Amino acid sequence: MQTNLADFIRDTPEGREADGILRKCVHCGFCTATCPTYQLLGDELDGPRGRIYLIKEMLEGVAVSGRTRLHLDRCLTCRSCETTCPSGVQYARLVDIGRAVVDRLRPRPAADRLRRALLKESLPRPALFGAALALGQAFRPILPGALAAQVPRTSGRGTWPQPRHARRMIVPAGCVQPALAPDINAAAARVLDRLGISLIEVPRAGCCGALRFHLGDQEGGRRDARTMIDAWWPYLSQGVEAIVMTASGCGAFVREYDHLLERDSRYAEKAKRIASLVRDVSEVVAAGEARLAECAQRSKPAPLRLAFHSPCSLQHGQKLRGVVEPLLVATGCELTPVADAHLCCGSAGTYSILQPEIAGRLREAKLAALGAGAPEAIATANIGCLAHLQAGTATRVRHWIEVIDERLD
Amino acid sequence: MIERFRETIRAAASQKRALRIRGGGTKDFYGGPLRGEILDTRDHAGVVSYEPTELVVTARCGTRLDELERMLAERGQRLAFEPPHFGETATLGGCVAAGLSGPRRMAAGALRDFVLGAKIIDGRGDSLSFGGQVMKNVAGYDVARLMAGSLGTLGVIVEVSLKVLPMPASEATLRFEMTQEDAIGTMNRWAGRPLPISATCWHAGQLMVRLSGAAAGVAAAQRDLGGETVEEGARFWCELREQRHRFFEGPAPLWRLALPPATAPVPLAGEPLIEWGGGERWLRSEAPAEVLREAARAAGGHACLFRAPFETAEPFQPLAQALARIHRSLKAAFDPNGVFNRGRMYPEW
Amino acid sequence: MSPMETAGVEPADFLAERDFGGRDREALLSELSRVLPRGALLVSPEDARPYECDGLTAYRQLPLAVALPDSEDQVRAILRICASLDVPVVARGAGTSLSGGAMPHKDGVVLSLARLRSILALDPLARTARVQPGVRNLAISEAAAAHGLYYAPDPSSQIACTIGGNVAENSGGVHCLKYGLTVHNVLRVRAITIEGEALEIGSEAPDAPGYDLAALINGSEGMLAVITEITVRLTPKPLTAKVVLAAFDDVVHAGDAVAAVIAAGIIPAGMEMMDQPATRAVEPFVHAGYPLDAKALLLAESDGTPEEVEEEIGRIREVMAANGATGIRVSRDEAERLRFWSGRKAAFPAVGRISPDYYCMDGTIPRKRLAEMLTAIATLEGKYGLRCCNVFHAGDGNLHPLILYDANAAGELERAEEFGGEILELSVEYGGTITGEHGVGIEKIGQMCSQFSRQELAMFHRVKAAFDPRGLLNPGKAIPTLNRCVEFGRLHVHKGGVPHPELPRF
């Protein structure tokens, strides 16, 4: 597409990056077909192509109002469009730039700012979030239905195997996940232990930065990332082969630390190294699939009808498609067919809190698609999707690694 | 020749006289009354171009249909819509103007589906060319296709380009005993499966099914469907197409009902014969036109008085108001002085 | 007959486009907002700008407003309001047109049909689907899949393009040699005239009384009426399908192989060609395993029963080999078959990876002139200093040369347009047409003057007037006015006469 960026941005690093991305877009519109919000709202402005156009206009110096920000806010950043785009447009990077610029040109109203500040200060802090959640869980029996649905159930944490293998990997403790589903990391450790890998949890390292970054505090997100790098760095010298992510949302973000910190002279190199070591837990398990199948055969698990929801951060963000499903099948699960598997469930980080109406409609559609084959349980790969989906259904929603862990006993 | 047509048309237009475009006259029975001085197209004959690898034949309106089909057959090709001739003098121009298709219609498509281009002379005497000789063409409105079935009311079709297709390597006809209701259900269910069915006909408790295609595919379908193999299949379908089948004998008015194919049997007085998987239902019936028309309309189709010993009703189902207005405007656009085939389609024009 | 005499009976808008300036904007907006739900009327330039173009970004126009109705009643109300205030209306589906068919009118309303996106009925026994115009082409096939049926026409943009837009453009696809274009697969269209009257065109029966108006509405580019409902024919899914992927070291050999396949009496379900630059552009995206050293690739598909396919694939292989194919592969399974096709389907946008902009042509020529055309295009590349990737629906002679340019480089767009214009005029000269399936839109309106005579163009205007007497639907598209042809400097002249001497030159 033809571009002519305005002086205020043309020669900045962001401007150059945006220009390169915009020029790749040929405006074919394929992306609209797989965009959850376009399919829901039927307005060009709520699809990737329209948002790209809004960003282009803004970067070319056309005055913007809150309307442009509204349409950028409505984007889930699910990156389904990137999977569909034949031209290779890096939409998510462009929308990050667009969001930063619109926040600068048209600051948010005070109430909106406050709400976002509260979210970004509470969610990334395990202690604070855990306390708030515990309060909610304690009162669940007496909360009205709608509100009760928002507070997820919790389960205890199982045992963590002693590190006994020569092969070692680390797993960050995470921020939201330990409070909501404390057994996920432990389950991953138990599964990997059977595959000959010892998983070591890096304690209390906090949030990877995704939450702050996507709430408009891009600098705060970078700060989080540096903290994370500092926490993980010492392990690398101890022969750790990979950084395993059990939440695909975090994985998608950490995988791009190199890009996030490329202009930070102190951290750029380290970020590159860290990013190159990140693996989703599914990749690690898939590498030991033969062993996994052996273990499963020995334990002879009961048949289980399961619907798998691949989080956008897994299938679009990390481009890991069709990796988890065969692992579930290898452990004797029967996967039910799920229509429109490429569409977002509406969770999308803090989206479900900030855009509850659209998120609710997307969840409804997603749960209908997941429920079509009458599964006994739903499996997914990201804590955000897990909690969001669970709040809308009586069918149990779990991390797939927990399902596999159970089936190997 | 073209110049002579144009002069005749201009003269008629200036005097607001009616012209009746006629080739072999084999379809004189079809449509409304014949009015006006004959404009004979038979001398404007001959194939303009035919290249089998292009799958296109272009010929003049007076070209005899049987000669054209013979030439195509020599190269292993055919007009896939299997047009009825209704007499050996049938011409290509009349074939396109009448727009009628034969037994293969549901499998291969209708005549209108094969029209790629047409040269016409409009009611002003202007020579116009629409479409062309290529498979895909969306430049301008598809006026060439509009000519199919226009009964010569919009202009003289002087030259036509049609898509042609290879002849099937193998054909077989099967016969089944079946009630009308079962036949309609069966034909539609089979049409929803990837079977090489190229024609169907139900009459008097018998369902005839023709298979066409690669030998292996026809044999496989024959095994799949069962039924009794009919030896003289080709003759049956030809007689059906030409309405020489015994059903078409006798004086009772012949009605043609075009209905959504899966429509259940319509309880109407008279003897039915069903083609096109249930989409085309012939009826020999003395029932009043209004009754038949209302029954067809209610089922989502229309009824046409195809042949009658004397004029008992308008030939075609009346149009809804909005459509009738557009028809009148189109007629005026092509033939402002009402020269061509007056009253042949609808009495008002 | 002198041109002056003809002029006397020519339709009113034939000479020049109408000027729609000076309409009562306030009245229009207040009336439209009365009939539309909240948020369904976009008025500010900020909101309307992303609607200023469709898939052809070289042509842009900011509209007066954008309306997003979600029911036929709203569509009817919008049309009535626009008719009463004499305001132009441009209908739009997914905005994937490559000819600027949905480019707005500066004094007009864009009528988006994207919110009319329900599949109203799907009847497996009758093999029909009744759908709203905003339903995506592929969504119909997805819905029909459970019944072993699908909707056959598959334009490359089928993932995104809407069925309403398909009807308006009479879209084709890679399988239309065997299964036909949109016009062959649409049974019935319900459309609203600019006056707000509903038209039932065609029928769920095999035919309808009167003229074949379906022939006109298919490919009418939004100029006759606004489509609000469509019944399509569904086709049984073939039991099996396989694709032959043949490589050639010369595009001419590949062209000959295409003709040879047809000469052998084979009608492949699809037959497509890509040249080397196109192959190299798509391979990094689709990983189809295309041989990158081949000068041209042919994809030929056979479908039917396993026995038929085995037999036909064998014959196709023989013909390809006899015509100089340097490598032949047959898809081993469904996944590989889809992968072979995916590269072809993503070819246009994938070119965005190697060039910031491209200009896609759509001429159709008789198959026998294929090699000649390719040679001519190679010469034109030199003449204009621009590269061109070639993607063809080889089976039906429909060419999609993609002229690569950079809109940010001064003069490149103009050169690309001239390059494209020459290809289109060559198409007409070779006995073909300027557009096989993308439509004329705004893009090829000048070349219409080369393909059609003044009388033919006048007839097109009359046909439009029969539906839309005041010329309010998509004005300025598809059918050029006489003034435009004079401006463009071309008019197809029969018998060597001087074109319209009565008109002033400018």
Side-chain angles (χ1 to χ4, degrees):
Chain A
M1 222 160 34
Q2 189 171 12
T3 53
N4 183 19
L5 298 202
D7 291 341
F8 80 92
I9 191 120
R10 185 186 300 129
D11 297 318
T12 65
E14 296 84 15
R16 277 192 293 272
E17 184 176 15
D19 192 53
I21 297 170
L22 284 169
R23 305 228 313 129
K24 271 204 163 173
C25 174
V26 296
H27 213 252
C28 68
F30 284 21
C31 52
T32 58
T34 57
C35 171
T37 51
Y38 182 83
Q39 288 310 312
L40 204 61
L41 304 171
D43 183 351
E44 182 80 15
L45 307 177
D46 291 314
R49 183 174 64 171
R51 293 187 192 109
I52 289 173
Y53 221 85
L54 289 170
I55 294 169
K56 177 174 108 81
E57 292 294 310
M58 178 172 68
L59 299 185
E60 289 186 343
V62 178
V64 291
S65 72
R67 310 273 308 157
T68 291
R69 193 183 48 234
L70 168 76
H71 294 296
L72 296 188
D73 279 353
R74 280 189 189 159
C75 169
L76 296 140
T77 330
C78 70
R79 300 171 71 178
S80 177
C81 51
E82 290 188 14
T83 299
T84 308
C85 178
S87 310
V89 173
Q90 291 174 302
Y91 170 83
R93 292 198 178 169
L94 182 67
V95 89
D96 281 343
I97 295 170
R99 283 170 170 155
V101 173
V102 79
D103 272 353
R104 231 163 39 226
L105 296 178
R106 283 266 152 191
R108 291 177 186 278
D112 195 8
R113 280 208 305 272
L114 179 66
R115 193 155 64 125
R116 283 166 181 263
L118 280 175
L119 277 175
K120 77 180 188 217
E121 294 317 320
S122 67
L123 289 182
R125 294 190 183 166
L128 197 56
F129 179 72
L133 189 74
L135 205 63
Q137 277 163 349
F139 285 98
R140 177 196 273 280
I142 55 165
L143 288 177
L147 201 54
Q150 292 283 337
V151 183
R153 277 181 289 268
T154 184
S155 56
R157 179 163 185 165
T159 53
W160 194 293
Q162 285 303 311
R164 58 186 173 118
H165 301 292
R167 293 186 66 192
R168 293 187 174 202
M169 299 180 183
I170 54 169
V171 63
C175 44
V176 176
Q177 188 169 294
L180 287 177
D183 198 35
I184 292 177
N185 275 354
R190 291 190 294 269
V191 172
L192 293 191
D193 182 62
R194 293 185 184 90
L195 302 180
I197 298 164
S198 286
L199 195 61
I200 299 154
E201 192 169 42
V202 181
R204 289 203 298 147
C207 172
C208 63
L211 281 167
R212 281 205 176 84
F213 191 87
H214 290 135
L215 277 168
D217 182 7
Q218 300 192 353
E219 225 11 83
R222 287 196 184 88
R223 227 171 19 244
D224 286 340
R226 289 187 202 103
T227 310
M228 212 39 61
I229 292 173
D230 289 340
W232 299 341
W233 196 253
Y235 290 88
L236 303 192
S237 56
Q238 296 166 24
V240 159
E241 5 174 334
I243 302 162
V244 177
M245 307 302 292
T246 54
S248 60
C250 312
F253 192 74
V254 176
R255 278 206 138 122
E256 297 191 355
Y257 270 6
D258 53 341
H259 175 256
L260 187 75
L261 296 172
E262 68 187 351
R263 290 192 288 275
D264 180 330
S265 55
R266 280 202 309 132
Y267 277 86
E269 276 311 308
K270 283 184 175 177
K272 212 186 263 175
R273 172 98 195 277
I274 293 281
S276 74
L277 288 176
V278 174
R279 299 285 177 276
D280 185 78
V281 61
S282 63
E283 294 173 275
V284 182
V285 178
E289 194 183 335
R291 188 112 172 237
L292 181 77
E294 269 171 45
C295 296
Q297 237 164 26
R298 271 201 307 275
S299 56
K300 293 191 185 59
L304 176 67
R305 282 173 64 75
L306 196 66
F308 179 64
H309 166 59
S310 180
C312 302
S313 45
L314 188 70
Q315 59 170 331
H316 305 304
Q318 302 189 60
K319 314 264 179 265
L320 294 173
R321 284 185 283 278
V323 178
V324 174
E325 293 90 332
L327 303 178
L328 289 165
V329 172
T331 54
C333 295
E334 183 201 339
L335 295 184
T336 60
V338 179
D340 295 327
H342 59 281
L343 287 183
C344 178
C345 65
S347 166
T350 51
Y351 191 93
S352 54
I353 301 164
L354 294 169
Q355 300 283 343
E357 200 230 318
I358 297 175
R361 286 169 71 189
L362 289 172
R363 176 168 63 194
E364 218 172 282
K366 179 55 72 183
L367 284 171
L370 287 167
E376 295 163 62
I378 295 168
T380 186
N382 187 46
I383 185 65
C385 309
L386 192 155
H388 180 63
L389 287 172
Q390 188 65 81
T393 179
T395 308
R396 186 132 185 244
V397 187
R398 317 189 58 197
H399 194 292
W400 64 270
I401 196 79
E402 293 182 286
V403 175
I404 287 191
D405 173 47
E406 262 176 25
R407 300 177 69 73
L408 297 182
D409 280 343
Chain B
M1 200 64 222
I2 301 274
E3 276 315 304
R4 231 173 59 211
F5 288 157
R6 295 181 64 185
E7 276 160 32
T8 310
I9 293 164
R10 279 191 210 130
S14 67
Q15 297 157 26
K16 305 214 182 290
R17 271 188 295 115
L19 288 176
R20 168 185 163 202
I21 310 164
R22 188 174 192 263
T26 54
K27 294 164 195 82
D28 278 352
F29 67 88
Y30 186 56
L34 309 172
R35 292 200 191 117
E37 179 193 332
I38 289 180
L39 189 146
D40 193 330
T41 61
R42 283 177 299 180
D43 287 343
H44 190 61
V47 171
V48 177
S49 72
Y50 172 44
E51 274 174 87
T53 62
E54 297 293 323
L55 300 175
V56 180
V57 66
T58 301
R60 301 191 183 96
C61 54
T63 310
R64 286 254 304 248
L65 199 52
D66 54 357
E67 287 171 12
L68 181 71
E69 290 189 320
R70 206 173 308 130
M71 181 194 75
L72 296 174
E74 279 166 18
R75 306 299 299 266
Q77 296 187 332
R78 69 193 156 110
L79 298 175
F81 50 93
E82 229 176 356
H85 294 216
F86 297 144
E88 58 184 24
T89 56
T91 61
L92 176 64
C95 168
V96 173
L100 301 173
S101 309
R104 212 179 293 273
R105 188 255 178 267
M106 295 311 261
L111 177 141
R112 54 94 72 172
D113 293 321
F114 291 84
V115 175
L116 299 177
K119 288 193 172 142
I120 65 167
I121 306 176
D122 71 5
R124 297 170 189 81
D126 284 344
S127 281
L128 308 170
S129 175
F130 297 103
Q133 302 184 18
V134 288
M135 295 294 144
K136 281 171 159 179
N137 187 351
V138 292
Y141 305 116
D142 200 345
V143 175
R145 206 181 300 282
L146 179 69
M147 293 299 131
S150 64
L151 293 173
T153 57
L154 297 177
V156 181
I157 301 166
V158 292
E159 196 179 297
V160 185
S161 297
L162 295 174
K163 177 179 178 180
V164 296
L165 285 174
M167 300 228 217
S170 166
E171 294 208 315
T173 298
L174 309 176
R175 180 169 38 215
F176 304 82
E177 300 286 327
M178 216 174 269
T179 64
Q180 185 185 170
E181 194 173 0
D182 286 349
I184 291 170
T186 303
M187 288 187 286
N188 280 283
R189 273 195 307 279
W190 285 349
R193 290 176 48 199
L195 293 164
I197 293 176
S198 67
T200 50
C201 173
W202 178 89
H203 177 237
Q206 289 198 329
L207 174 65
M208 306 286 273
V209 174
R210 184 177 63 187
L211 305 169
S212 309
V218 169
Q222 223 169 333
R223 283 193 302 275
D224 181 354
L225 299 182
E228 175 197 346
T229 304
V230 179
E231 291 310 321
E232 299 257 299
R235 210 179 77 197
F236 171 82
W237 296 109
C238 179
E239 286 183 351
L240 179 70
R241 185 190 77 191
E242 295 303 325
Q243 301 195 340
R244 291 195 305 258
H245 185 280
R246 65 188 152 72
F247 167 83
F248 296 97
E249 288 165 12
L254 174 64
W255 284 84
R256 174 183 181 271
L257 276 65
L259 304 179
T263 308
V266 187
L268 289 167
E271 189 193 1
L273 180 145
I274 302 179
E275 286 193 74
W276 297 5
E280 186 177 54
R281 302 187 190 190
W282 300 99
L283 194 66
R284 304 305 301 263
S285 179
E286 305 280 0
E290 311 79 71
V291 172
L292 297 170
R293 295 232 147 100
E294 179 48 33
R297 197 200 54 75
H302 63 106
C304 153
L305 178 54
F306 199 78
R307 277 184 208 257
F310 47 86
E311 206 177 317
T312 55
E314 299 303 333
F316 302 109
Q317 186 116 357
L319 299 169
Q321 213 178 0
L323 282 182
R325 203 194 57 239
I326 286 172
H327 275 67
R328 278 195 302 276
S329 305
L330 281 174
K331 170 71 177 174
F334 283 86
D335 181 17
N337 297 304
V339 173
F340 299 125
N341 290 9
R342 256 177 225 175
R344 191 78 188 265
M345 186 180 271
Y346 286 102
E348 310 88 68
W349 38 268
Chain C
M1 184 164 49
S2 83
M4 287 312 281
E5 280 174 35
T6 314
V9 292
E10 277 168 1
D13 293 345
F14 183 35
L15 211 59
E17 274 154 45
R18 284 183 65 197
D19 177 8
F20 293 98
R23 300 292 181 271
D24 188 344
R25 187 169 181 274
E26 293 314 309
L28 175 75
L29 298 181
S30 93
E31 288 202 36
L32 287 177
S33 60
R34 247 183 338 104
V35 301
L36 284 165
R38 249 175 69 90
L41 183 65
L42 310 180
V43 178
S44 75
E46 184 178 357
D47 283 349
R49 184 121 21 217
Y51 283 88
E52 70 181 0
C53 59
D54 51 25
L56 182 69
T57 54
Y59 297 83
R60 296 183 294 270
Q61 174 62 57
L62 191 66
L64 203 73
V66 179
L68 303 163
D70 56 30
S71 72
E72 185 187 275
D73 283 343
Q74 289 171 18
V75 170
R76 192 194 300 258
I78 292 165
L79 289 170
R80 287 208 171 120
I81 291 166
C82 290
S84 73
L85 295 170
D86 204 35
V87 170
V89 176
V90 179
R92 173 185 168 112
T96 56
S97 164
L98 294 170
S99 58
M103 187 190 83
H105 190 284
K106 73 177 167 60
D107 300 310
V109 172
V110 168
L111 177 53
S112 166
L113 295 149
R115 288 183 173 175
L116 273 77
R117 51 167 184 252
S118 299
I119 295 181
L120 301 169
L122 199 149
D123 184 340
L125 185 62
R127 287 109 43 220
T128 57
R130 194 157 56 82
V131 303
Q132 289 191 309
V135 172
R136 293 178 300 118
N137 172 303
L138 193 60
I140 300 177
S141 290
E142 284 168 356
H147 307 287
L149 301 167
Y150 75 111
Y151 175 64
D154 58 343
S156 297
S157 57
Q158 72 177 140
I159 184 174
C161 62
T162 64
I163 187 70
N166 288 179
V167 173
E169 302 292 326
N170 189 15
S171 306
V174 299
H175 289 98
C176 46
L177 181 62
K178 185 167 174 182
Y179 293 101
L181 309 161
T182 303
V183 68
H184 302 116
N185 289 279
V186 164
L187 300 173
R188 173 190 153 267
V189 169
R190 183 177 163 86
I192 311 291
T193 65
I194 185 73
E195 313 288 349
E197 250 180 323
L199 302 177
E200 286 283 340
I201 295 172
S203 164
E204 287 171 19
D207 40 49
Y211 296 135
D212 191 344
L213 299 186
L216 295 180
I217 199 90
N218 278 283
S220 59
E221 304 201 19
M223 310 262 293
L224 302 182
V226 174
I227 297 161
T228 54
E229 209 177 288
I230 297 153
T231 304
V232 298
R233 191 160 64 98
L234 301 173
T235 304
K237 260 205 184 129
L239 287 177
T240 182
K242 282 186 176 182
V243 181
V244 176
L245 174 67
F248 292 84
D249 57 10
D250 185 336
V251 282
V252 177
H253 290 159
D256 292 343
V258 171
V261 168
I262 305 284
I266 302 167
I267 304 293
M271 189 149 56
E272 300 286 310
M273 194 201 286
M274 280 193 279
D275 70 358
Q276 193 172 33
T279 310
R280 290 188 171 170
V282 297
E283 184 59 23
F285 172 59
V286 296
H287 309 292
Y290 292 154
L292 297 177
D293 52 345
K295 284 281 185 288
L297 289 186
L298 269 187
L299 287 163
E301 178 161 291
S302 169
D303 64 14
T305 62
E307 300 88 353
E308 286 173 308
V309 171
E310 236 14 82
E311 184 187 326
E312 196 165 272
I313 288 284
R315 290 168 66 208
I316 293 173
R317 281 186 83 127
E318 277 169 34
V319 175
M320 298 282 186
N323 281 273
T326 53
I328 297 177
R329 281 165 57 195
V330 179
S331 60
R332 281 162 302 185
D333 52 31
E334 188 59 10
E336 190 170 56
R337 183 183 79 86
L338 293 176
R339 211 158 48 241
F340 281 178
W341 278 123
S342 65
R344 167 60 192 86
K345 291 209 168 177
F348 297 178
V351 163
R353 291 168 179 261
I354 57 170
S355 168
D357 299 278
Y358 66 83
Y359 188 36
C360 173
M361 304 283 78
D362 178 41
T364 300
I365 56 169
R367 270 181 295 266
K368 63 182 170 193
R369 313 289 296 258
L370 216 57
E372 218 174 318
M373 178 58 104
L374 289 170
T375 315
I377 289 175
T379 312
L380 290 171
E381 286 188 80
K383 176 174 168 186
Y384 289 101
L386 294 173
R387 285 183 301 156
C388 184
C389 293
N390 289 298
V391 179
F392 304 147
H393 301 298
D396 30 41
N398 187 198
L399 317 170
H400 293 314
L402 302 166
I403 301 167
L404 312 186
Y405 71 99
D406 180 349
N408 281 10
E412 282 210 5
L413 170 63
E414 291 72 23
R415 291 216 306 280
E417 282 182 315
E418 270 184 57
F419 187 164
E422 280 211 48
I423 296 177
L424 294 186
E425 278 159 38
L426 271 179
S427 303
V428 176
E429 197 185 307
Y430 289 168
T433 177
I434 56 170
T435 172
E437 57 181 4
H438 294 171
V440 174
I442 189 68
E443 177 214 9
K444 293 179 275 283
I445 197 157
Q447 277 82 18
M448 284 291 281
C449 311
S450 311
Q451 187 166 339
F452 291 100
S453 73
R454 172 188 186 136
Q455 286 85 359
E456 288 152 4
L457 293 174
M459 188 58 85
F460 287 145
H461 281 276
R462 289 191 198 98
V463 168
K464 174 169 172 62
F467 287 81
D468 174 24
R470 285 189 292 150
L472 290 173
L473 291 172
N474 215 1
K477 305 280 179 60
I479 313 295
T481 58
L482 213 46
N483 269 356
R484 198 185 265 273
C485 289
V486 172
E487 215 171 324
F488 190 68
R490 292 189 187 103
L491 192 75
H492 180 64
V493 184
H494 287 310
K495 300 197 182 95
V498 181
H500 33 270
E502 79 286 5
L503 286 172
R505 304 287 160 148
F506 41 83

